[in-house]
Amino acid sequence: KILLKKLIFCYNITYYKTQRYTMKYILTLILTFTLSFSAQLTQKEKQFLKDNPTINLGIGAGWEPIAIQKKKDLITGFDADILELVNKATNANFKLVVGNWNKIQERVKNKELHGLSALIKTPKREEFLLFTEPYNFTEYFIATTKDNLSNIKTKEDLKKFSISLEKGNKLHQLLVNDLDLTKVIYVDTAKNTFDVFFDGKTDLTIGMSGIKYELAKNNYPLLYDTNTYNKKTDLFMAVLKEYPEARSI
């Protein structure tokens, strides 16, 4: 378990600095070796897999490179790599379902999906979800353009500016609550937060761990960290409480 956590930590750090497929190959070799010792399923887990030939976990659209949707049924990225290895070790069929994060969460509550991926743990979510151990983390900060940077020195200065945030995103909402921001424009996806920002409709946006990937992919100009709000938080996978075997697998 300790080895696995260290390896995932290293993978997360180097994901944006090396060729993705080189790192995936290294992670595959080591995780396959590690998981081979823990792939003995209980009878309940085996029965669960028979009853649930596909286990669908929802994730937000535009959360690249955590989940990269190339086609409707072709999803790659960090979380997809992890689930692929789990599937190989257990004969399960965990799949990611990408969509509007707000609607994805509703689909889980309506039991249309088994659970969620790449989310933070909150007391409200724990009322109906079973969480894994943290498997990844994300760092986030408030970013702006070079022109605005000189006007932002403290957290109080942020209140003067508008910011684009994703609907239903708990991390984004925590930021609003922490800083008491009022000039907020909510959009449907993480990518939309950049779209409205670079269209000049907001002054600030959220920068996350994978931001360089997103900027390069969409040919966006550079963003600048305001150095007023920098945090790191763990990410989890979670399933509905009706599916404890899915979490244990």
Side-chain angles (χ1 to χ4, degrees):
K1 246 181 176 181
I2 295 173
L3 173 63
L4 183 60
K5 285 183 179 179
K6 287 183 177 179
L7 290 170
I8 291 176
F9 174 82
C10 293
Y11 181 70
N12 188 49
I13 290 297
T14 55
Y15 196 92
Y16 315 109
K17 298 179 181 178
T18 65
Q19 289 293 324
R20 175 175 171 265
Y21 290 102
T22 300
M23 282 310 301
K24 181 180 177 181
Y25 175 72
I26 295 171
L27 184 65
T28 299
L29 288 177
I30 303 173
L31 276 181
T32 300
F33 174 79
T34 306
L35 289 171
S36 65
F37 292 98
S38 57
Q40 299 301 315
L41 302 182
T42 66
Q43 287 303 315
K44 285 186 176 182
E45 290 170 338
K46 291 177 181 177
Q47 186 60 49
F48 173 78
L49 293 182
K50 286 183 180 179
D51 297 337
N52 298 269
T54 301
I55 306 159
N56 293 307
L57 302 181
I59 193 166
W63 291 12
E64 301 183 5
I66 292 176
I68 305 167
Q69 186 165 27
K70 296 186 175 181
K71 296 179 182 178
K72 183 178 180 181
D73 296 319
L74 179 58
I75 301 170
T76 61
F78 183 86
D79 283 26
D81 291 348
I82 294 293
L83 292 177
E84 180 185 345
L85 295 170
V86 172
N87 288 341
K88 287 180 178 178
T90 63
N91 290 317
N93 187 26
F94 286 92
K95 292 181 68 175
L96 291 176
V97 177
V98 176
N100 175 292
W101 183 235
N102 221 20
K103 293 179 180 178
I104 283 286
Q105 292 178 85
E106 287 302 314
R107 290 185 66 186
V108 173
K109 291 178 182 177
N110 294 334
K111 302 183 180 180
E112 297 172 26
L113 301 173
H114 293 82
L116 297 165
S117 189
L119 73 163
I120 63 172
K121 187 187 291 188
T122 67
K124 191 171 182 179
R125 286 173 171 169
E126 286 186 289
E127 292 176 5
F128 65 98
L129 292 172
L130 297 172
F131 284 79
T132 64
E133 291 294 316
Y135 72 99
N136 197 357
F137 67 88
T138 186
E139 295 177 283
Y140 57 106
F141 57 92
I142 296 181
T144 190
T145 61
K146 189 175 182 179
D147 292 339
N148 277 338
L149 198 60
S150 60
N151 298 317
I152 303 173
K153 303 296 183 184
T154 67
K155 290 182 180 179
E156 283 297 313
D157 292 334
L158 296 172
K159 296 180 181 180
K160 305 172 188 175
F161 298 94
S162 58
I163 188 168
S164 53
L165 301 176
E166 183 182 19
K167 293 177 186 174
N169 190 312
K170 293 294 183 183
L171 275 181
H172 291 192
Q173 195 56 50
L174 286 172
L175 180 146
V176 171
N177 296 341
D178 286 349
L179 298 176
D180 195 25
L181 301 179
T182 56
K183 298 180 180 181
V184 180
I185 294 179
Y186 289 100
V187 294
D188 289 334
T189 69
K191 182 181 180 301
N192 291 155
T193 65
F194 294 120
D195 292 337
V196 298
F197 172 75
F198 286 113
D199 283 345
K201 295 176 182 177
T202 61
D203 307 300
L204 309 171
T205 191
I206 297 285
M208 307 288 279
S209 296
I211 194 169
K212 289 181 180 179
Y213 176 95
E214 187 71 21
L215 296 179
K217 178 188 172 187
N218 294 287
N219 294 316
Y220 287 139
L222 288 176
L223 284 175
Y224 292 83
D225 188 349
T226 61
N227 291 310
T228 55
Y229 188 88
N230 301 72
K231 287 195 174 184
K232 182 172 78 173
T233 188
D234 287 329
L235 295 177
F236 301 79
M237 293 184 185
V239 295
L240 290 167
K241 286 189 173 181
E242 294 94 316
Y243 309 120
E245 292 81 13
R247 183 193 44 185
S248 62
I249 293 170

